[in-house]
Amino acid sequence: MNHSLILKISAVVYLVFGIPLLLAPNALMAVYGVEPMNHVGVYNTMLFGATFIGLAVMTWMASRQDYREVRALVLGVLVANALGLLVALYRQLTQPEVPATAWVNVVLLLVFTVLYARLYFQSTAARQSAQPV
């Protein structure tokens, strides 16, 4: 799978989650079976949605560029997904109040962590093998 396709797919996923997180956070949380949040939870969730929309724009625009030009973005998205995966997995395994539907988050973050890691480390290996000794 090439970098352009991975970036476009992740942009769509970021947008699919980002828009409802920004515009209707409690409605999205209801899909997960979570009780409505208080104003602080809504505020933070809306900020998270805005960040997702920003990531969607960046990854979509980067999908049109040569990989060498977007390598730093790929590393940043890899780090964000890997850290998100650690948080989601930890909470899923240790917090009984986290609904089973939140495994969707773990799976999505795992898939994107693997895809972005593969992109990043394949390009690193290719760069190192192309350098003269």
Side-chain angles (χ1 to χ4, degrees):
M1 196 178 293
N2 67 27
H3 80 281
S4 181
L5 184 58
I6 292 170
L7 291 166
K8 284 180 181 177
I9 291 170
S10 62
V12 170
V13 171
Y14 287 135
L15 204 58
V16 164
F17 282 92
I19 290 172
L21 285 169
L22 177 66
L23 300 177
N26 274 323
L28 181 61
M29 294 300 108
V31 172
Y32 280 87
V34 176
E35 292 183 25
M37 296 176 285
N38 64 20
H39 67 282
V40 175
V42 169
Y43 171 72
N44 284 307
T45 303
M46 292 173 76
L47 289 175
F48 189 57
T51 301
F52 265 19
I53 293 169
L55 280 169
V57 171
M58 287 189 296
T59 53
W60 186 268
M61 297 304 292
S63 72
R64 301 175 184 173
Q65 305 298 317
D66 183 80
Y67 181 77
R68 291 170 293 191
E69 298 170 0
V70 297
R71 191 165 178 270
L73 176 76
V74 168
L75 178 59
V77 175
L78 168 59
V79 169
N81 280 298
L83 291 174
L85 173 61
L86 292 175
V87 169
L89 187 59
Y90 173 77
R91 296 217 19 115
Q92 198 68 36
L93 295 173
T94 63
Q95 305 292 317
E97 64 274 5
V98 175
T101 52
W103 280 105
V104 169
N105 299 341
V106 174
V107 170
L108 284 172
L109 288 163
L110 175 63
V111 167
F112 284 122
T113 297
V114 169
L115 289 173
Y116 277 94
R118 190 168 161 243
L119 266 182
Y120 183 77
F121 291 114
Q122 279 181 346
S123 73
T124 300
R127 285 181 52 191
Q128 289 175 348
S129 65
Q131 292 178 352
V133 178

